[in-house]
Amino acid sequence: MKHRLIFLSKTPSKLREVADMLNQPHLTGWRWCVVSKHTADVQRMGVPVASELLLSNLYGRAWRGGFWGFLLGCLLVMIFVSVFNLDEGLARAILFYSLPLSFLCFGAWEGGFVGLTENNPDLVHFQSYVDSGRLVLLVDVNSVDLRLLKKIMAMCNVEQIGDYSRLLPGMPWREHSISAAQVNG
C-alpha cells in the first residue's frame, strides 16, 4: 500500500539536503514533490514541484460529476422509455447506451473544470505553511519504506506534519488524511 507523508522544511538549504538524500539511485519507487509559494526558486534548485493536478480538486470533482451525470442519464432513459413507449429496436438501444454515457462524459468534463478552480481539500490543512513561505514536501512511499523515510527526514531535521495512510472504507483509491497530532498521539 502506498503512503503519502507530508513534511515541513523551513529553509531552502534543508530542502536541498533532503533532495540530495532522496535522489539516491537505490531509493526506487518513491515519488516526491514540493508545494511552495515560490515555485521558481524550488525549480531552480532542481527539486520537483507539485503539479496543478495535485494542487487542485480535479479528480474528485470529475469523479463526482461523472457519477451524477451517469445517474441523470439513467433517469432520463427511464423517463423516455416510459413516456414514449419505445419497443425493442435501434432507437431504444441507442437511447439506452448513448444517453447515460453522454451525461457521464459531460459530467466528468464539467466537474473537472470546476475542480480545477478549487484547492485540493486534502492539502487545505497545510496551506497556512505554504502561505507563510515554508516548503511542504509530499512523499509517496510503500509501507516497507516508511521507517527508512522517517529516518532520512529526521537526519535532515525536517518535521513530519501529516500522513495519508488510512484508506476510506469502500473507496480503496481515496486516501484519508491524518494529522500529525493523530499520528503521534
Side-chain angles (χ1 to χ4, degrees):
M1 182 170 111
K2 282 279 194 184
H3 296 268
R4 175 171 290 156
L5 299 179
I6 294 111
F7 295 94
L8 181 65
S9 175
K10 297 178 183 174
T11 62
S13 63
K14 290 193 186 299
L15 179 64
R16 185 72 246 158
E17 188 178 336
V18 168
D20 291 339
M21 293 292 279
L22 293 180
N23 284 333
Q24 296 178 21
H26 65 280
L27 299 177
T28 59
W30 294 15
R31 290 184 334 180
W32 65 284
C33 60
V34 175
V35 179
S36 173
K37 192 165 64 171
H38 309 288
T39 56
D41 295 335
V42 173
Q43 285 178 331
R44 264 183 257 150
M45 289 191 309
V47 175
V49 178
S51 70
E52 192 61 37
L53 295 177
L54 181 66
L55 298 175
S56 69
N57 194 18
L58 177 117
Y59 294 126
R61 283 294 184 168
W63 185 87
R64 281 187 220 103
F67 174 76
W68 290 110
F70 181 76
L71 285 181
L72 178 63
C74 290
L75 179 68
L76 288 175
V77 165
M78 288 189 286
I79 290 171
F80 285 154
V81 167
S82 65
V83 168
F84 296 117
N85 277 337
L86 293 176
D87 294 328
E88 292 293 327
L90 184 61
R92 185 174 175 160
I94 289 173
L95 185 70
F96 261 66
Y97 294 116
S98 66
L99 204 56
L101 288 176
S102 298
F103 274 83
L104 180 138
C105 293
F106 179 76
W109 179 70
E110 185 66 29
F113 278 126
V114 171
L116 278 174
T117 64
E118 296 177 351
N119 291 331
N120 188 339
D122 293 336
L123 299 177
V124 168
H125 307 293
F126 314 111
Q127 190 62 38
S128 60
Y129 296 118
V130 174
D131 292 339
S132 67
R134 295 186 176 162
L135 305 163
V136 176
L137 285 87
L138 307 173
V139 186
D140 295 338
V141 296
N142 292 321
S143 298
V144 297
D145 296 328
L146 282 176
R147 288 182 51 203
L148 176 61
L149 174 65
K150 289 179 181 181
K151 284 181 183 181
I152 289 173
M153 293 301 183
M155 286 190 311
C156 297
N157 292 326
V158 176
E159 156 187 18
Q160 180 180 355
I161 58 173
D163 184 356
Y164 290 88
S165 57
R166 277 196 349 218
L167 297 177
L168 290 177
M171 293 188 289
W173 61 89
R174 180 99 168 117
E175 295 177 343
H176 178 66
S177 71
I178 303 168
S179 69
Q182 291 173 337
V183 171
N184 296 330

